[in-house]
Amino acid sequence: MASALSADTIARVKATVPALAEHGEQITLAMYARLFQDAHIKALFNHANQASGAQPKALARAVLAYAQNIDNLGVVLPVVERIAQKHVGYHILAEHYPFVAAALLGAIKEVLGDAASEEILYAWGEAYWFLADILIDREAKLRAEIEAVDGGWTGWRDFVVAEKIRESAVITSFVLRPADGKPVIPHQPGQYLTFRLDLPDAAGEKRNYSISAGPDGERYRISVKREDLGAASRFLHDQLRIGDILQATPPAGDFFLAAQPARPVVLLSGGVGLTPMVSMLEHIARVHPGLEAHFVHGALNSGVHALDNHVRALAKEHGGVTVTTFYSEPLAGDRAGETHDLDGFITLDWLKANTPFADADFYLCGPKPFLRAFVSGLAMAGVAVDRIHYEFFGPADEALAA
């Protein structure tokens, strides 16, 4: 791996920033078109993100961010961990990187034409492999760490659907046990599993779902919201049966509860974003009896709110956990103080008044507008960046761009 980028490469890559700002999405669309000519590379991707346009847009922003900060990689490298974790989940290997390099450089030449000189392409090749080598090295270490733990594995492993539990009108839980009957690696509370699903119209589709149970070395649980336009979630809800097999890679993700929490924690979620928070809460109830924790959740109403009884039972068992639920669109039978705690939306003012705002670690998960509001809102309200931890719904490259 190169120890540093050359000054010439840095200058040439930075010189492409205006072109990337104008033509970035054209380049990433052309790159994916080239990549997907190879069936085994195409099979590595989550094509829901492709169909929605999220991935090409996210990658265009990420490439631009990399170019803008090529002389200050301290801005970019902290997000490498998140991307490396995603790659482990999707079982992306070192052997796949040359395909991306060829497609990216070819797309730059295709879109920029004569402006993409040989010198520019050489510089971008050097910049690509500099970052790729960092990722390849980190991914290899992650896989070695996983395999070294009892229950760890590499690649795809068969799991049996042991239970299927309807949690609300839109959320169903699936308890998964390894088909070989052997242990599973205890996940970090907050991590996700990546699945390879044979959908009716798309074999081998990849999806990530947060683990919604605490680690026990024997099983995993995911709790999935059924989306009317979501082919994977409809498949899981409507067609998957107890006894069926799902394939998954090991738990991954850099969003998880600290092993030894040093401060009180606030678990803040919206909608189905509560799933990693339930995993954290289960672990807190079992392992951290003295930890002060606040479980704060926003849902539309009781019809879609999942796992509330379970959460409240965990809080009662622990004794130092408070639970507060907000309903933004209560049903006719919903009553604040009975089915939920408060009407409306979670606000920063409420958090300031009702949680250890100045001292706590905040863990957040929810839809993009929810994260956008609270990640920036907490920081602007004075919460230190190292006390704000969040799970990002969407392509990993979008986090890099952010």
Side-chain angles (χ1 to χ4, degrees):
M1 183 178 74
S3 59
L5 290 167
S6 69
D8 184 67
T9 287
I10 289 171
R12 291 186 187 279
V13 167
K14 283 190 78 71
T16 65
V17 165
L20 292 173
E22 184 177 354
H23 303 292
E25 194 173 343
Q26 288 175 265
I27 291 171
T28 54
L29 285 168
M31 186 200 83
Y32 284 121
R34 287 168 176 264
L35 272 179
F36 294 164
Q37 291 174 17
D38 190 310
H40 96 283
I41 296 296
K42 182 178 181 179
L44 296 171
F45 287 80
N46 177 337
H47 289 282
N49 289 334
Q50 296 293 329
S52 70
Q55 185 69 50
K57 285 183 175 130
L59 183 54
R61 290 194 291 269
V63 170
L64 177 60
Y66 185 40
Q68 289 170 325
N69 294 285
I70 197 77
D71 55 349
N72 182 24
L73 291 179
V75 174
V76 173
L77 293 182
V79 192
V80 165
E81 179 69 14
R82 183 161 291 193
I83 296 173
Q85 294 276 353
K86 283 282 188 184
H87 285 182
V88 169
Y90 283 106
H91 199 43
I92 291 172
L93 305 173
E95 66 201 51
H96 299 132
Y97 278 83
F99 292 90
V100 179
L104 175 61
L105 296 179
I108 291 172
K109 181 64 177 175
E110 175 186 332
V111 174
L112 299 186
D114 292 342
S117 65
E118 289 303 313
E119 292 81 7
I120 289 291
L121 293 175
Y122 182 86
W124 262 105
E126 185 183 339
Y128 170 83
W129 280 110
F130 180 83
L131 186 57
D133 284 344
I134 293 171
L135 285 164
I136 289 167
D137 182 64
R138 179 57 184 147
E139 289 156 21
K141 288 178 180 175
L142 285 171
R143 290 187 173 97
E145 290 168 4
I146 291 167
E147 287 186 291
V149 176
D150 187 31
W153 75 96
T154 296
W156 302 100
R157 185 176 179 184
D158 287 348
F159 285 82
V160 177
V161 179
E163 299 176 56
K164 182 177 179 180
I165 307 159
R166 185 181 173 90
E167 306 284 9
S168 76
V170 294
I171 296 175
T172 294
S173 289
F174 302 86
V175 176
L176 309 173
R177 294 187 177 273
D180 58 18
K182 296 178 180 179
V184 295
I185 184 172
H187 59 284
Q188 300 285 352
Q191 288 188 308
Y192 56 81
L193 292 172
T194 302
F195 294 90
R196 182 166 62 184
L197 306 171
D198 286 331
L199 306 182
D201 299 321
E205 276 290 294
K206 312 297 189 305
R207 294 293 188 275
N208 307 126
Y209 294 110
S210 295
I211 302 168
S212 63
D216 64 10
E218 298 178 1
R219 58 168 196 140
Y220 300 119
R221 182 180 68 207
I222 58 172
S223 301
V224 180
K225 180 183 178 184
R226 188 187 189 282
E227 302 283 359
D228 289 340
L229 299 178
S233 69
R234 285 188 285 112
F235 169 78
L236 294 176
H237 275 250
D238 302 344
Q239 298 186 41
L240 200 66
R241 300 287 181 264
I242 292 175
D244 287 350
I245 298 291
L246 288 178
Q247 290 188 316
T249 51
D254 65 341
F255 172 75
F256 49 80
L257 185 71
Q260 296 297 329
R263 296 178 284 265
V265 300
V266 177
L267 308 178
L268 183 61
S269 59
V272 75
L274 90 168
T275 53
M277 304 308 175
V278 175
S279 176
M280 293 182 191
L281 187 61
E282 284 195 10
H283 190 64
I284 288 169
R286 293 173 188 164
V287 179
H288 300 294
L291 180 65
E292 179 186 353
H294 298 258
F295 189 98
V296 184
H297 179 63
L300 291 177
N301 49 55
S302 60
V304 299
H305 187 188
L307 296 162
D308 185 53
N309 290 337
H310 180 56
V311 164
R312 292 182 186 277
L314 289 170
K316 184 176 180 181
E317 171 191 337
H318 181 276
V321 174
T322 62
V323 178
T324 309
T325 55
F326 289 73
Y327 283 180
S328 59
E329 299 179 16
L331 298 174
D334 290 338
R335 296 285 183 274
E338 298 176 11
T339 55
H340 60 293
D341 297 292
L342 295 164
D343 290 337
F345 294 95
I346 304 166
T347 66
L348 283 169
D349 285 343
W350 186 90
L351 290 170
K352 289 177 183 177
N354 294 279
T355 69
F357 197 85
D359 305 313
D361 275 298
F362 286 81
Y363 292 85
L364 296 85
C365 189
K368 288 179 185 177
F370 179 91
L371 287 178
R372 199 173 291 121
F374 283 107
V375 171
S376 61
L378 288 168
M380 291 176 66
V383 179
V385 173
D386 65 355
R387 292 197 286 116
I388 304 172
H389 318 273
Y390 61 95
E391 180 59 291
F392 195 91
F393 285 177
D397 297 311
E398 194 166 338
L400 177 61

